[in-house]
């Protein structure tokens, strides 16, 4: 089978061929049709992601495809079932073997491209805003990097949950995408984020996928008792949090990493996916996939993420 493999940490990957894997007990082999790219794939390539596997490895954190073979003891699935898997890595390959507990059916109405773009971005935003930040109707949600893979879903889900959404992104084109996802107010990268948010009444919840100076400005634009979610650090700078300011304004910073739930509470992921799939079938969620590329153009897809030229998700088809 063809795969895109990272052979040396810190170096570009390459297309190669590996033997097709056989499923063991409790495992399912999936013929992969689509794989969603994530910023974390770039971090794995550099060796800076918290769950980087040892090299050589195949990146690709979320896939959709068709059940191809069942390992011993697997029940509830059959060959030909349409499924999605939040696999962590191994997605940029023609076939993958995954624990059955991680495999979820997808409805016939959902394309493989949408399914591959769905799990991490929507799951992150739904669980972060609902279970962790407890976003309430009528509150104001500030989303930085609002046209990116997770940021755009935070805009969409925040609006579904009844919040007033302020979206920050770079440039008119990206802001238009955030507006189409439901943003009520738009802030360009060159504007004074802190002052604009304060002029709009301040933020009750901050969903920050960028870090750096944007985190600092968002932090200073919070209302008393606001909750802040440091979701990612696309700027390359991990924020340092002044605890004395937390005290004065009664702020709460909430850690959230969706991958951690695979280890200590996977049922929460399953329940979230069930809710999100229902919203998708009702037409309330519309995944935004800006680029669909074949496997032999995966480097181009990663460059779109690296250079921040994509909006929403980039999907590789196989």
């Amino acid at each position: 089978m063809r795969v895109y493999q990272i052979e040396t940490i810190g170096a570009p990957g390459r297309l190669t061929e590996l033997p097709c894997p056989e499923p063991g007990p409790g495992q399912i082999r999936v013929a992969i049709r689509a794989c969603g790219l994530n910023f974390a794939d770039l971090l794995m390539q550099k060796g800076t992601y918290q769950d980087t596997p040892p090299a050589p490895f195949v990146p690709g954190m979320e896939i959709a495809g068709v059940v191809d073979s069942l390992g011993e003891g697997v029940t509830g699935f059959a060959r030909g079932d349409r499924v999605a898997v939040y696999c962590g890595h191994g997605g940029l390959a023609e076939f993958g073997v995954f624990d059955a507990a991680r495999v979820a059916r997808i409805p016939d109405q959902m394309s493989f491209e949408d399914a591959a773009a769905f799990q991490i971005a929507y799951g992150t935003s739904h669980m972060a805003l609902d279970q962790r930040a407890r976003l309430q109707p009528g509150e104001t949600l500030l989303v930085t990097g609002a046209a990116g893979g997770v940021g755009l879903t935070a805009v969409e889900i925040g609006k579904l949950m009844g919040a007033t959404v302020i979206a920050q992104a770079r440039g008119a084109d990206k802001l238009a995408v955030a507006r189409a996802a439901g943003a009520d107010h738009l802030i360009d990268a060159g504007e004074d984020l802190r002052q604009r948010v304060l002029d709009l009444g301040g933020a009750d919840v901050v969903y920050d996928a960028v870090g750096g100076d944007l985190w600092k400005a968002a932090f200073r634009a919070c209302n008393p008792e606001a909750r802040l979610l440091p979701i990612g650090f696309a700027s390359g700078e991990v924020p340092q949090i002044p605890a004395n300011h937390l005290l004065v304004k009664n702020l709460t910073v909430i850690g959230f990493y969706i991958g951690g739930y695979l280890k200590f509470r996977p049922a929460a992921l399953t329940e979230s996916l069930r809710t999100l799939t229902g919203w998708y079938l009702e037409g309330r969620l519309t995944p935004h996939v800006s680029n669909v590329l074949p496997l032999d153009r995966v480097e181009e897809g990663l460059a779109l993420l690296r250079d921040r030229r994509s909006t929403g998700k980039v999907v590789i088809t196989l």
Side-chain angles (χ1 to χ4, degrees):
M1 66 175 184
R2 293 194 309 152
V3 305
Y4 176 81
Q5 183 167 260
I6 304 296
E7 297 178 347
T8 303
I9 296 294
R14 72 182 186 96
L15 287 174
T16 187
E17 291 194 357
L18 293 176
C20 189
E22 294 295 331
Q27 293 183 324
I28 293 175
R29 185 170 69 197
V30 177
I32 298 172
R33 298 288 186 260
C35 177
L37 296 185
N38 291 273
F39 193 77
D41 292 312
L42 296 173
L43 299 180
M44 284 188 196
Q45 189 174 26
K46 295 193 298 183
T48 58
Y49 191 61
Q50 57 262 32
D51 280 340
T52 300
F57 69 91
V58 175
M61 301 180 70
E62 55 185 334
I63 65 97
V66 176
V67 172
D68 178 72
S69 181
L70 302 175
E72 181 183 350
V74 174
T75 59
F77 291 94
R79 290 190 64 191
D81 284 349
R82 302 174 78 253
V83 295
V85 187
Y86 175 14
C87 50
H89 62 90
L92 290 171
E94 291 179 321
F95 293 88
V97 167
F98 311 105
D99 290 343
R102 291 196 178 191
V103 180
R105 281 193 184 79
I106 56 174
D108 291 341
Q109 300 93 319
M110 180 180 280
S111 69
F112 290 125
E113 290 81 4
D114 277 359
F118 197 78
Q119 298 171 89
I120 292 176
Y122 279 108
T124 293
S125 292
H126 180 242
M127 292 185 67
L129 294 175
D130 183 46
Q131 298 191 28
R132 300 292 286 145
R134 303 293 181 186
L135 178 67
Q136 300 299 308
E139 290 190 314
T140 295
L141 168 67
L142 169 62
V143 181
T144 67
V150 293
L152 196 60
T153 61
V155 171
E156 200 173 2
I157 289 174
K159 194 63 183 174
L160 267 178
M161 294 177 67
T164 296
V165 180
I166 304 172
Q168 181 279 336
R170 183 178 297 277
D173 291 345
K174 291 188 175 182
L175 289 172
V177 171
R179 170 75 82 185
D184 299 285
H185 306 285
L186 307 174
I187 301 177
D188 205 334
E191 299 183 70
D192 185 337
L193 178 71
R194 172 181 175 271
Q195 192 57 54
R196 282 292 314 281
V197 174
L198 289 174
D199 290 345
L200 292 167
D204 301 306
V205 175
V206 172
Y207 183 105
D208 176 45
V210 180
D213 290 339
L214 282 179
W215 168 272
K216 296 172 187 175
F219 190 95
R220 297 173 65 204
C222 284
N223 292 325
E225 295 190 329
R227 292 88 72 202
L228 298 97
L229 294 153
I231 295 296
F233 317 113
S235 68
E237 181 182 340
V238 177
Q240 302 303 302
I241 299 166
N244 57 324
H245 291 189
L246 295 179
L247 181 152
V248 171
K249 295 183 73 173
N250 290 288
L251 303 179
T252 302
V253 177
I254 303 171
F256 177 77
Y257 167 49
I258 189 171
Y261 282 81
L262 288 171
K263 300 171 184 174
F264 67 83
R265 194 150 63 92
L269 295 174
T270 304
E271 182 60 32
S272 174
L273 183 59
R274 186 178 297 114
T275 297
L276 292 165
T277 301
W279 286 349
Y280 176 92
L281 293 174
E282 293 167 4
R284 302 173 72 190
L285 296 178
T286 306
H288 179 85
V289 179
S290 62
N291 301 85
V292 178
L293 301 168
L295 183 62
D296 57 8
R297 294 173 64 187
V298 65
E299 282 289 347
E300 182 181 336
L302 291 169
L304 288 169
L305 295 184
R306 186 182 299 112
D307 301 336
R308 302 185 194 179
R309 290 184 285 119
S310 61
T311 53
K313 293 288 286 192
V314 176
V315 172
I316 303 298
T317 56
L318 298 103

